[in-house]
Amino acid sequence: MKITVPATSANLGPGFDSVGVALSKYLTIEVLEPAADWQVDHDLRDIPSDENNLLIQTALQIAPDLTPQRIKMTSDIPLARGLGSSSSVIVAGIELANQLAGLQLSDQEKLNLATEIEGHPDNVAPAIFGNLVVASYLDGQVSSVVANFPTCDFLAFIPNYELKTSESRGVLPTSMTYKEAVAASSIANVAIAGLLTGDLSKAGQAIQGDRFHEAYRQNLVKEFAPIKKVAQKSGAYATYLSGAGPTVMSLVPLGQGLDLKAALDDLKLDGQTFVLSVDKEGVRLD
C-alpha cells in the first residue's frame, strides 16, 4: 500500500490560517510488511524512525491498536520551510490508520481529525482535498470550500535555512483595532473573490496587500524583498510568504515560471527555486 500526500502553500497573503493550495511536491508512505515494532525507513535528518515519528503518533492517535508495520517514507517537501511538511505527515498518518484499521473515514472526518491535531485547517485541508481550499475552524467545527485555483505557474524560492512556525508567529501582534481588522478582512475578501472568479490580477493585488501577518514576518526572510522586486518586473501576479515562511512564492502567468526561475537564479540567493503546479487530487492511494 502506498499513500501520497501533496505539499501545501498556506495563507496566500490575507487568508491567514484559513486558505491553502495543494502543490506538486510530495510525501510518499509505503507500507512494506508487519513488524515486531514500528519502523520508519527514511533519509530525513533528525526525524525519529520508530513510534515517535509523527506519522506513527498520528496513526495511533486515531487507531491505538494497529499492528506495527515497517514503513518506507520518502519526501521532497522540505522541513520547516512553509510548505506543509508536518501537515502532510499528519494527513498521511490519518490515512494510514484509516486503511490499516478499515475505518472508512469520510473526507470531512479526515479534515476534522487533521485540523484538531494541527490546530488550523489551512495546510491539512488542501493536503486532503487538493486544489484551493478556504476553511474555518471555530468551536471545534471545521467548514471548508474546495475550488479550482486559477491557471498559473507557482514559482517557489525555498531557502536553505529553516524558520520554525513558533518563531514566525512570535513576531505577530497580539491584537488589532476594530478599524484595522475591518480593513484587513476586506482585503482578504477581495483576494478570495479574485481567486474564485479567476481574476488573478485583482487577487494578486489583494494578496500583496495583506495586513494580518506578512508585514511583520517579511523581515525574517531577507530574500523576500529582492524576489518580489524581480518578480514584479517579470509580470508576476503576486509574491507572498508561503505559510509561516521562509519559502517565498510567486504566482506567474502560465508558462512564464521558467523565465522567473532563471531571473531568480541569477540573484544567487541561498536556496533553490522550483516551478510548481496545483495538485488537484490531494491525499491518495496508489
Side-chain angles (χ1 to χ4, degrees):
M1 179 176 66
K2 181 187 293 185
I3 299 169
T4 302
V5 186
T8 52
S9 179
N11 297 334
L12 280 80
F16 188 50
D17 278 0
S18 62
V19 178
V21 60
L23 296 176
S24 56
K25 279 185 171 291
Y26 297 95
L27 166 74
T28 300
I29 304 298
E30 294 181 74
V31 180
L32 302 178
E33 59 190 0
D37 299 293
W38 289 100
Q39 178 182 337
V40 183
D41 300 333
H42 62 79
D43 58 3
L44 306 172
R45 62 180 181 82
D46 301 326
I47 300 297
S49 297
D50 56 13
E51 68 275 4
N52 293 311
N53 189 292
L54 179 60
L55 174 77
I56 308 306
Q57 288 183 330
T58 302
L60 293 177
Q61 187 171 338
I62 306 304
D65 297 327
L66 292 177
T67 299
Q69 305 283 330
R70 185 167 75 90
I71 292 172
K72 180 180 180 181
M73 172 188 285
T74 56
S75 179
D76 62 358
I77 306 173
L79 303 176
R81 299 297 202 283
L83 288 169
S85 58
S86 62
S87 293
S88 67
V89 176
I90 289 170
V91 170
I94 292 171
E95 191 60 47
L96 180 65
N98 184 42
Q99 296 300 320
L100 292 179
L103 301 178
Q104 298 184 326
L105 296 173
S106 67
D107 285 345
Q108 182 63 46
E109 288 170 328
K110 295 174 189 176
L111 178 58
N112 293 343
L113 291 167
T115 302
E116 183 179 350
I117 294 170
E118 177 71 356
H120 37 83
D122 54 352
N123 285 113
V124 295
I128 292 169
F129 296 110
N131 281 309
L132 170 71
V133 186
V134 182
S136 66
Y137 182 43
L138 185 64
D139 297 330
Q141 300 297 313
V142 190
S143 180
S144 65
V145 175
V146 182
N148 290 324
F149 201 95
T151 302
C152 68
D153 286 342
F154 286 73
L155 196 287
F157 171 76
I158 305 176
N160 288 329
Y161 58 86
E162 297 182 357
L163 180 59
K164 299 294 186 183
T165 301
S166 56
E167 178 183 353
S168 192
R169 284 189 179 271
V171 301
L172 300 179
T174 57
S175 63
M176 301 177 72
T177 67
Y178 189 83
K179 184 177 180 180
E180 289 170 336
V182 170
S185 179
S186 69
I187 292 169
N189 293 341
V190 173
I192 299 305
L195 291 175
L196 295 181
T197 58
D199 191 336
L200 273 173
S201 294
K202 286 186 178 178
Q205 292 175 1
I207 286 170
Q208 293 191 156
D210 167 62
R211 296 191 181 189
F212 286 121
H213 73 109
E214 284 212 353
Y216 310 100
R217 287 173 160 171
Q218 286 175 11
N219 289 336
L220 298 176
V221 183
K222 61 183 181 296
E223 298 87 357
F224 186 89
I227 289 174
K228 182 178 180 180
K229 183 177 180 180
V230 170
Q232 287 185 313
K233 286 184 178 180
S234 299
Y237 297 115
T239 296
Y240 67 92
L241 283 178
S242 182
T247 290
V248 180
M249 194 74 70
S250 294
L251 304 180
V252 185
L254 187 67
Q256 296 183 25
L258 287 175
D259 292 337
L260 180 55
K261 174 176 166 44
L264 295 186
D265 288 343
D266 286 343
L267 295 178
K268 300 189 183 304
L269 300 173
D270 184 21
Q272 295 178 286
T273 55
F274 298 88
V275 179
L276 304 177
S277 59
V278 174
D279 177 277
K280 296 184 178 182
E281 295 185 63
V283 61
R284 53 192 174 270
L285 295 177
D286 298 311

